Amino acid sequence: MFEDCIKCGICLQECFLQKLGINSFVSLPASDDPDGLWICCNCWICQEHCPVTLPLMNIKWQLQRNQQPPAFFERVLENIKACGHCIAIDEEEINDFREDIGLDAITLPESSIIQKLHI
Amino acid sequence: MKNMALFPGCLVLSLFPEYELASKKILALLDIQTHTLPETICCGSVLQSVNSNWIYAAAYDLALAERSGMEIITLCGGCTNSFKRLQWMCRSNPLLLDEINEVLAQVGLSFHNTVHVSHILEILFERKETLRRQCCKSLPLRVAVMTPCQVFRPANVMHFDDSDHPRVMQNLISSTVAEVVSYSMEDDCCGSSLSMSQESVAFRVGQVRLEELEKKKTDMIITACGNCHLLLQNMQSAYYQGRPIPCLFLPQLLGVAMGFSSKEMMISHPSVRSLIENV
Ligand code: SF4
Ligand code: SF4
């Protein structure tokens, strides 16, 4: 995946987490250190500055998908399966509130839709 | 009046109705009538770490917008990024569009990749002259900007301002309503999404930012993304013990400058209200 990486370390210099002394995802290509795989907030700066234009974000997501995600992601996935959204939403409750403040009502998707989209 | 579809996304729908409401109200003054899209699902942004099928989630939402015949306005960085990147991927690989349409056919939709997606910052920036004319009230505030980085990067997909150093929010605010404080982390990501994998790291990023902003005597932080707002406002007291620095969504601030009351902009924070109402 990182075959074309020339170990120049530019991603390490550009990552704002590294500047704060935090071991982030780019330690993997630059220093073969995989501990920061999940320490990344998708700001794209490393990829934008990589001199050999490695698709760092896609590589990171692929590596993450082969791992057990942190517990939070599991909960998010459960919520999406239940109501279509990352955070649990109850249609009646949210629409009562939205009506009170003058927002248009929303409709949640039918639950079968999420399954049919293979999520 | 132009009709446009508003895609609030999961975070704004469930946590930040004030962002959606303030956006709708100020856009109406800019001749845009927004309609919150029904039956939407998550934009797919968070799913990218767990599932390559995030593209079907994004395509489903975009197909709903296409069916409505309206362009989409997004409010968060993550939604904007996954929608625009999916569109870019489909343009670079037409086979992907066929694959997506096979899946969408199961739910009675089709996607042609024709819908135009804009984050609210793009809509406001395109109309900055009108906006400037409509902002009748300037506020004696020193505000710091939290730019939603994913609206600007990757540059080859997002095509909006200088992607390494975006200055859209700073320009919009300083030309209309308040003084903008510059600070060393203004081009850096908020770090909020780290709270999903390692909360302490997200908190550290938030803390460093707030400590600098306190030193700079910042009255408030202006956001344009639910995710940035989540870390900097909702979680603030968990990692920062200094003088609280309240956050407002950009449309709320602009709304006040356009003549709306704090109540109409759903500004409930007492210290923000007193800062704004004593003008
Ligand atoms: S995308 Fe992740 S690893 Fe790259 S610069 Fe941003 S936070 Fe660092
Ligand atoms: S910037 Fe690119 S080439 Fe240089 S170390 Fe990082 S991944 Fe490798």
Side-chain angles (χ1 to χ4, degrees):
Chain A
M1 287 190 147
F2 296 115
E3 294 83 21
D4 295 329
C5 171
I6 54 169
K7 306 278 180 206
C8 65
I10 289 177
C11 53
L12 283 179
Q13 286 161 27
E14 292 291 337
C15 174
F16 80 106
L17 294 173
Q18 297 281 347
K19 289 182 202 167
L20 296 176
I22 297 163
N23 191 27
S24 69
F25 156 67
V26 278
S27 296
L28 182 52
S31 336
D32 299 313
D33 172 1
D35 287 354
L37 179 60
W38 291 88
I39 306 299
C40 171
C41 34
N42 311 323
C43 80
W44 293 85
I45 280 286
C46 52
Q47 175 163 331
E48 296 279 76
H49 289 265
C50 173
V52 294
T53 61
L54 281 180
L56 288 170
M57 292 297 98
N58 276 337
I59 295 176
K60 181 198 70 180
W61 285 316
Q62 275 174 37
L63 292 169
Q64 287 178 335
R65 283 175 206 151
N66 295 332
Q67 284 202 356
Q68 177 75 16
F72 196 97
F73 285 86
E74 309 270 14
R75 281 206 297 282
V76 163
L77 207 54
E78 270 168 36
N79 288 338
I80 294 178
K81 284 180 177 157
C83 73
H85 298 278
C86 296
I87 302 176
I89 294 176
D90 177 84
E91 189 174 302
E92 209 179 297
E93 205 177 297
I94 198 174
N95 281 335
D96 281 350
F97 177 72
R98 289 175 68 88
E99 194 185 340
D100 283 350
I101 61 171
L103 282 172
D104 30 5
I106 59 149
T107 329
L108 294 182
E110 283 172 32
S111 53
S112 64
I113 286 196
I114 307 296
Q115 233 173 351
K116 289 178 184 159
L117 294 174
H118 309 302
I119 294 163
Chain B
M1 205 56 131
K2 181 174 178 176
N3 287 300
M4 292 182 85
L6 189 74
F7 180 87
C10 308
L11 269 178
V12 174
L13 265 183
S14 46
L15 297 178
F16 303 119
E18 68 271 36
Y19 187 15
E20 186 181 345
L21 190 74
S23 300
K24 280 177 179 272
K25 286 191 172 160
I26 70 164
L27 290 171
L29 289 189
L30 296 170
D31 276 333
I32 298 172
Q33 177 80 42
T34 51
H35 308 269
T36 304
L37 262 185
E39 289 173 62
T40 55
I41 62 172
C42 167
C43 67
S45 174
V46 212
L47 290 170
Q48 294 177 99
S49 296
V50 285
N51 198 324
S52 60
N53 294 345
W54 70 274
I55 54 173
Y56 303 135
Y60 166 86
D61 288 324
L62 292 178
L64 284 179
E66 281 186 358
R67 193 174 65 182
S68 78
M70 294 182 280
E71 296 177 23
I72 284 198
I73 303 179
T74 51
L75 298 179
C76 286
C79 314
T80 317
N81 195 283
S82 42
F83 288 161
K84 291 199 184 198
R85 255 180 330 103
L86 176 76
Q87 293 197 298
W88 183 86
M89 287 160 68
C90 290
R91 280 196 300 274
S92 342
N93 174 11
L95 293 177
L96 182 63
L97 196 58
D98 296 341
E99 183 196 317
I100 284 172
N101 274 313
E102 270 173 39
V103 172
L104 290 184
Q106 306 295 314
V107 296
L109 285 171
S110 61
F111 176 50
H112 305 95
N113 204 11
T114 50
V115 61
H116 192 78
V117 178
S118 314
H119 183 265
I120 187 162
L121 279 180
E122 294 173 88
I123 303 283
L124 296 175
F125 200 64
E126 280 163 14
R127 290 160 181 77
K128 62 177 188 295
E129 295 310 327
T130 320
L131 195 62
R132 202 171 290 162
R133 280 197 300 276
Q134 297 211 1
C135 286
C136 47
K137 190 162 154 188
S138 83
L139 304 169
L141 300 172
R142 286 167 54 78
V143 306
V145 156
M146 182 63 248
T147 292
C149 58
Q150 295 201 61
V151 174
F152 299 87
R153 294 191 288 268
N156 66 328
V157 177
M158 308 309 281
H159 299 295
F160 186 29
D161 202 22
D162 174 346
S163 62
D164 273 4
H165 310 284
R167 287 293 174 270
V168 167
M169 286 184 75
Q170 288 87 335
N171 286 344
L172 278 174
I173 295 170
S174 60
S175 65
T176 50
V177 49
E179 182 191 343
V180 178
V181 177
S182 68
Y183 66 108
S184 68
M185 282 180 83
E186 69 188 307
D187 294 325
D188 295 338
C189 172
C190 64
S192 184
S193 51
L194 292 163
S195 66
M196 296 193 297
S197 43
Q198 211 166 317
E199 202 176 60
S200 60
V201 181
F203 287 180
R204 167 102 186 98
V205 176
Q207 185 195 10
V208 176
R209 186 183 306 270
L210 285 163
E211 281 170 355
E212 183 182 355
L213 292 180
E214 182 177 5
K215 280 197 198 103
K216 297 225 155 163
K217 302 198 181 342
T218 310
D219 293 314
M220 60 181 84
I221 302 170
I222 307 303
T223 60
C225 169
N227 208 21
C228 310
H229 206 88
L230 182 67
L231 179 74
L232 294 179
Q233 174 66 57
N234 299 35
M235 298 176 174
Q236 187 179 120
S237 61
Y239 57 81
Y240 169 71
Q241 276 68 52
R243 172 182 60 86
I245 306 180
C247 300
L248 267 195
F249 288 104
L250 178 67
Q252 293 180 289
L253 179 75
L254 292 174
V256 171
M258 289 162 108
F260 288 106
S261 67
S262 316
K263 193 168 172 233
E264 286 169 311
M265 291 291 102
M266 283 182 80
I267 299 171
S268 50
H269 210 293
S271 69
V272 179
R273 282 185 87 125
S274 74
L275 281 168
I276 286 173
E277 285 163 6
N278 293 334
V279 177

